[in-house]
Amino acid sequence: MSNDVRTNWAGNLTYSAGAVARPGTPEELADLVGGSDRIKALGSRHSFCDVADTTGTHVLLDVYDDGRPAVVVDAATGVASLRAGLLYGQAGTALLERGRALRTMASLPHISLAGAIATATHGSGDANGCLASDVVGLEIVTADGEARTLRRGDADFPGAVVGLGALGVVTRVEMATDPAFEVSQDVVVDLPWEALLTDLEAVTGAAYSVSAFTLWDEDAVSQVWLKSRVAGSSDGQAGDATGERRRPARDVLLDLGARDAPGPMHPLAGEDPAASTVQGGVPGPAHERLPHFRAEHKPSTGAELQSEYLVPREHAAEAIEAMRELGPKVAPLLFASEIRTVAGDDLWLSPFDGATLALHFTWKPDDDAVRAVLHDLEAALLPWGARPHWGKIFVAKPAELAAMYPRFDDFAALAQRLDPRGKFRGGYLTEILPA
């Protein structure tokens, strides 16, 4: 994993920025933004494409202090105000100290709040929306250097949350939280493909969060990770966000033909499972179980590429079958592929405008070969309504993305109004947004 802020997390992209700035106060940030021709916030650098790039100055918020505690929880509503530069793992730890928990998390706790929200990054679970869906407020410094606050109910709010960094520098996010709850995690192996295809709802609904791993050319789904809310923590219900009691998730999958994992697992074959979050049904705080990787360990392999496509749930079977046909082509290039589900939301640039199947690909670091196979993959998936993840690698032309979002013209108008000179546009945003 690269520690050089001139490159992204995986080291496959060198940024175009001519300078890096770390403002320490709101006044410094306002002067920096207002006086810049080209500028862009940079988070934990976990995007694999140039969505966060700029030819001007990259702004890092790792030393930014607005004079308020990094985490503030409203006792009456449970809404948490969080510094945007915090990592999700840091936010989870701080919230637990205050008796609260994030409702969902991505597979990595090492990603920044603002960056993950801006690109509609997500975890898994039939009832769990993407990370941005729990945002109820944003504080953002726009092109004129002025700080603005947008909250749910404001006309611009649903356009600003998944904002791709195109509207300004987000300094704080307000998020709905739950009372602190615990999660237990079980892993099963060798789930028959037939069970996944014919009983998809049973598989993905077995636990609060479910992730299935495959290389697509295998005789069975190699691993399924099941994360269940523990009875007696928070709402007192196990396995479900709705309050309905469910059978233990592991039992559901065993009845469908899976087997218990032989021991702790890592999503990537051959990698040390010590980096993975605790398995074997041992309860722990939500932020220590909902991700796949522990905050204190280096996530995944570092030298890798990633793609992801978000498919409307009604076309899940067709998308899975299409990927199985591509198995011989994609398997030699894969470290792992993950199947997840995500609930819908009302955010303009969120790909989750309804129940969604997410197909994630962690590729070996062979850019030319990966991009070549992505042409086949997109030819198979895009006709079923698939949308690429904003921060991953895809081969669809940036201008094609706009047609995938009914409210994109509204977003473009919002970007033009808040940033008429386009100072926050860089990377492929210079193509997708009008000048």
Side-chain angles (χ1 to χ4, degrees), residues 101-361:
L102 296 165
R103 294 172 174 174
T104 184
M105 291 183 69
S107 59
L108 296 177
H110 312 81
I111 55 177
S112 66
L113 297 177
I117 288 165
T119 53
T121 295
H122 62 92
S124 187
D126 286 357
N128 297 327
C130 69
L131 305 180
S133 68
D134 283 330
V135 174
V136 297
L138 291 174
E139 294 181 18
I140 183 170
V141 176
T142 53
D144 56 7
E146 294 295 318
R148 290 171 168 80
T149 300
L150 296 172
R151 290 195 171 89
R152 183 166 288 281
D154 295 341
D156 293 337
F157 177 83
V161 181
V162 180
L164 309 180
L167 307 181
V169 178
V170 174
T171 56
R172 236 172 220 277
V173 295
E174 297 175 1
M175 299 189 70
T177 66
D178 278 354
F181 62 95
E182 290 191 325
V183 170
S184 65
Q185 179 169 233
D186 293 288
V187 179
V188 299
V189 298
D190 297 336
L191 176 71
W193 279 110
E194 182 181 359
L196 184 70
L197 285 166
T198 61
D199 292 297
L200 182 64
E201 290 187 7
V203 174
T204 64
Y208 184 73
S209 172
V210 177
S211 293
F213 293 92
T214 180
L215 294 178
W216 296 107
D217 68 341
E218 301 160 313
D219 293 334
V221 179
S222 57
Q223 302 180 41
V224 183
W225 292 37
L226 305 157
K227 304 168 191 281
S228 301
R229 287 178 77 135
V230 175
S233 70
S234 181
D235 60 11
Q237 301 294 334
D240 191 294
T242 66
E244 178 186 351
R245 287 191 178 274
R246 292 189 179 273
R247 293 178 59 207
R250 171 180 161 272
D251 291 354
V252 174
L253 274 291
L254 295 181
D255 286 351
L256 291 173
R259 299 184 296 108
D260 279 319
M265 304 292 286
H266 190 288
L268 279 62
E271 291 292 315
D272 187 352
S276 302
T277 46
V278 175
Q279 300 160 30
V282 179
H287 73 280
E288 295 180 1
R289 295 294 186 276
L290 290 176
H292 298 331
F293 300 102
R294 302 182 193 221
E296 65 270 22
H297 281 262
K298 183 182 85 169
S300 201
T301 67
E304 64 188 41
L305 304 173
Q306 290 185 14
S307 300
E308 188 170 33
Y309 294 88
L310 299 319
V311 185
R313 178 73 179 246
E314 62 264 29
H315 298 308
E318 294 92 340
I320 291 171
E321 290 286 19
M323 285 309 310
R324 291 187 69 196
E325 291 182 11
L326 286 172
K329 281 190 175 183
V330 301
L333 295 172
L334 281 171
F335 284 127
S337 184
E338 182 177 0
I339 303 169
R340 292 178 281 182
T341 58
V342 188
D345 59 60
D346 62 352
L347 306 174
W348 294 354
L349 293 196
S350 167
F352 312 106
D353 49 7
T356 300
L357 187 81
L359 302 176
H360 186 278
F361 305 87

